[in-house]
């Protein structure tokens, strides 16, 4: 059954108890972590089509979801990422983005830091350990320091300080 048909399926129409929609935008990622449950990496190319994204937006518009949870690989690497968030904000009051943090230091992605703050995006940051040695072993040299720099930039924008700018960490 096509995704668009599933949206119209009678069972899907009953969303009174469903409040969250989680969307995986693809498997492309700037990191290649051995522990990644979706096996994302820079070598992966799978990415959600814009057509599917448009169907998701229609579902958000039609049903009463209160939360959109965006994940990936590194969801920020999807070409339509900013557009998708801007459109989704029309239909859902709260958006979560699951990030690996270090993508936000890479060329072409730094603009997302103020974008996140301006749009009150709730960030869930994946950090596999609290020690530099373990993080760099799992994710690559320099990843821990990069993560800390990004956290400081997010703090400077109000994350972790202002109630509407939530920053949570997942220790995996």
């Amino acid at each position: 059954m096509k995704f668009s048909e599933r949206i119209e399926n009678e069972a899907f129409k009953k969303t009174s108890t469903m409040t969250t929609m989680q969307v995986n935008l693809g498997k492309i990622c700037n990191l290649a972590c051995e522990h990644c449950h979706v096996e994302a990496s820079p070598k992966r190319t799978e990415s959600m089509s814009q057509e599917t994204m448009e169907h998701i937006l229609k579902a958000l518009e039609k049903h009463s979801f209160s939360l959109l949870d965006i994940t990936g690989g590194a969801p920020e690497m999807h070409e339509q990422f900013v557009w998708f968030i801007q459109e989704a904000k029309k239909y859902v009051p709260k958006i979560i983005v699951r990030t690996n943090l270090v993508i936000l230091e890479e060329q072409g992605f730094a603009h997302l830091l103020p974008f996140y703050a301006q749009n009150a995006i709730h960030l869930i940051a994946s950090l596999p350990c609290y020690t530099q040695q373990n993080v760099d072993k799992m994710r690559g040299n320099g990843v821990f320091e990069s993560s800390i720099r990004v956290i400081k930039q997010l703090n400077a924008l109000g994350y972790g300080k202002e109630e509407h700018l939530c920053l949570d960490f997942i220790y995996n």
Side-chain angles (χ1 to χ4, degrees):
M1 179 181 291
K2 287 184 168 186
F3 183 77
S4 58
E5 293 169 347
R6 291 194 70 155
I7 288 174
E8 296 304 320
N9 183 319
E10 191 62 36
F12 190 79
K13 290 180 182 179
K14 298 176 184 176
T15 61
S16 61
T17 58
M18 290 193 313
T19 59
T20 301
M21 179 183 287
Q22 186 174 55
V23 177
N24 184 323
L25 296 184
K27 294 191 177 196
I28 187 168
C29 186
N30 57 317
L31 301 174
C33 305
E34 290 183 22
H35 64 278
C36 181
H37 69 284
V38 295
E39 299 177 344
S41 80
K43 294 179 182 179
R44 301 298 294 262
T45 59
E46 298 93 335
S47 189
M48 183 179 286
S49 71
Q50 184 162 347
E51 178 184 3
T52 299
M53 294 171 103
E54 289 170 359
H55 287 300
I56 290 167
L57 293 169
K58 287 178 187 174
L60 291 173
E61 179 182 23
K62 187 173 182 177
H63 304 288
S64 299
F65 289 98
S66 57
L67 176 66
L68 175 62
D69 184 348
I70 303 172
T71 188
E76 296 94 338
M77 295 183 78
H78 192 287
E79 291 179 0
Q80 299 298 325
F81 178 71
V82 170
W83 168 83
F84 185 62
I85 288 177
Q86 290 170 330
E87 292 300 310
K89 283 199 62 78
K90 296 175 183 175
Y91 311 115
V92 65
K94 184 174 180 182
I95 297 177
I96 289 175
V97 172
R98 297 176 184 266
T99 183
N100 66 27
L101 296 172
V102 297
I103 187 66
L104 301 169
E105 273 202 329
E106 292 200 9
Q107 185 176 6
F109 296 96
H111 71 282
L112 293 174
L113 289 160
F115 174 79
Y116 284 155
Q118 291 163 0
N119 289 282
I121 302 300
H122 180 153
L123 297 175
I124 298 182
S126 169
L127 200 59
C129 189
Y130 56 87
T131 68
Q132 181 175 354
Q133 180 182 3
N134 286 342
V135 171
D136 287 355
K137 182 179 179 183
M138 288 184 210
R139 292 197 163 170
N141 290 334
V143 170
F144 182 82
E145 287 183 10
S146 177
S147 297
I148 298 302
R149 284 192 303 270
V150 172
I151 292 166
K152 288 178 178 179
Q153 291 175 45
L154 289 166
N155 289 158
L157 290 168
Y159 277 91
K161 297 177 182 179
E162 297 184 29
E163 191 174 320
H164 72 286
L165 296 177
C166 298
L167 175 59
D168 293 320
F169 295 93
I170 293 179
Y171 173 86
N172 52 352

